[in-house]
Amino acid sequence: NAGVTQTPKFRVLKTGQSMTLLCAQDMNHEYMYWYRQDPGMGLRLIHYSVGEGTTAKGEVPDGYNVSRLKKQNFLLGLESAAPSQTSVYFCASSYNLGGTGELFFGEGSRLTVL
Amino acid sequence: KNQVEQSPQSLIILEGKNCTLQCNYTVSPFSNLRWYKQDTGRGPVSLTIMTFSENTKSNGRYTATLDADTKQSSLHITASQLSDSASYICVVSTDYKLSFGAGTTVTVRA
């Protein structure tokens, strides 16, 4: 049982390049999330999804797009990377939104934008 | 200003000693409070989840307390081990939103 898997784990981009981070979960969770983690700050929600085919904006959505074409996958895209998007990105999934639902995180994807 | 404040930012303790981490929050309405452990280079892993009616919860050597009246929580680590070296993150939840603290980095030295 892999849980939540993120790929790639590391990536270096030049300013203006595009890329996609892939998140896959095998727990049949409806809810999936993308967070970014920066030094000295708490995890911040970028986008989330409450089910296949649905997405919604979080706290810091600018510069990112997401898609949830299949229930098990949640993709995070950067169309034109900027140095401010250098961060560690975490995907998470849960069986409900908020409440006492357990949140399961992936191992993170470290992105550096030069 | 972050709605979840953790202190201290970091601490160093000797193996076998105890320590206590603090979390103060202003999030409202309150649904539950969670503590996560994040090892270096890994994703956060849940330690405890407490609802409004719970004022203490244990997970092995980890004991979390909650005072919903003063909006404070603490995480106590008993008889620390080298494997306890990690960042500990306090997360406060409304029904539909999670607010994350910046974390406390604990270093356990032999």
Side-chain angles (χ1 to χ4, degrees):
Chain A
N1 188 345
V4 179
T5 304
Q6 294 180 228
T7 53
K9 288 184 170 44
F10 301 94
R11 185 73 188 269
V12 178
L13 289 177
K14 293 181 180 179
T15 297
Q17 286 184 319
S18 62
M19 74 157 295
T20 300
L21 298 178
L22 171 64
C23 176
Q25 53 95 3
D26 61 4
M27 296 172 281
N28 202 35
H29 286 165
E30 289 292 338
Y31 302 92
M32 297 187 73
Y33 317 81
W34 276 107
Y35 290 92
R36 61 178 289 172
Q37 186 175 43
D38 300 296
M41 301 181 72
L43 284 147
R44 292 181 292 169
L45 183 64
I46 305 171
H47 286 280
Y48 65 99
S49 168
V50 300
E52 182 178 319
T54 72
T55 63
K57 294 181 180 180
E59 302 170 65
V60 289
D62 294 342
Y64 305 95
N65 56 76
V66 288
S67 64
R68 183 106 181 262
L69 298 179
K70 293 183 179 180
K71 185 177 183 179
Q72 64 267 34
N73 296 337
F74 195 28
L75 278 64
L76 178 70
L78 285 71
E79 290 184 346
S80 180
S84 61
Q85 294 177 304
T86 293
S87 187
V88 182
Y89 292 86
F90 286 97
C91 177
S93 72
S94 66
Y95 64 82
N96 66 3
L97 188 66
T100 56
E102 183 73 64
L103 203 61
F104 295 87
F105 285 89
E107 296 292 272
S109 298
R110 183 175 293 276
L111 174 65
T112 301
V113 183
L114 303 175
Chain B
K1 181 175 166 61
N2 198 354
Q3 293 184 297
V4 180
E5 298 286 346
Q6 293 188 241
S7 62
Q9 270 192 325
S10 62
L11 65 94
I12 299 172
I13 58 173
L14 292 177
E15 189 177 14
K17 299 297 185 183
N18 304 333
C19 69
T20 300
L21 317 180
Q22 299 293 340
C23 174
N24 297 337
Y25 63 93
T26 58
V27 172
S28 182
F30 174 86
S31 175
N32 60 74
L33 186 144
R34 311 157 185 236
W35 284 94
Y36 285 84
K37 178 186 180 189
Q38 184 177 19
D39 292 321
T40 301
R42 308 294 294 273
V45 175
S46 179
L47 290 175
T48 63
I49 299 176
M50 289 186 292
T51 60
F52 185 89
S53 59
E54 298 173 296
N55 56 24
T56 186
K57 203 158 196 178
S58 292
N59 178 355
R61 294 178 296 101
Y62 300 101
T63 299
T65 65
L66 172 64
D67 186 333
D69 291 332
T70 62
K71 297 187 176 182
Q72 295 180 324
S73 177
S74 65
L75 181 69
H76 187 75
I77 305 175
T78 303
S80 60
Q81 300 177 358
L82 297 178
S83 59
D84 293 329
S85 293
S87 179
Y88 292 84
I89 301 171
C90 175
V91 185
V92 182
S93 173
T94 63
D95 281 343
Y96 299 105
K97 182 185 175 190
L98 299 177
S99 296
F100 290 76
T104 293
T105 300
V106 174
T107 302
V108 181
R109 292 201 172 146

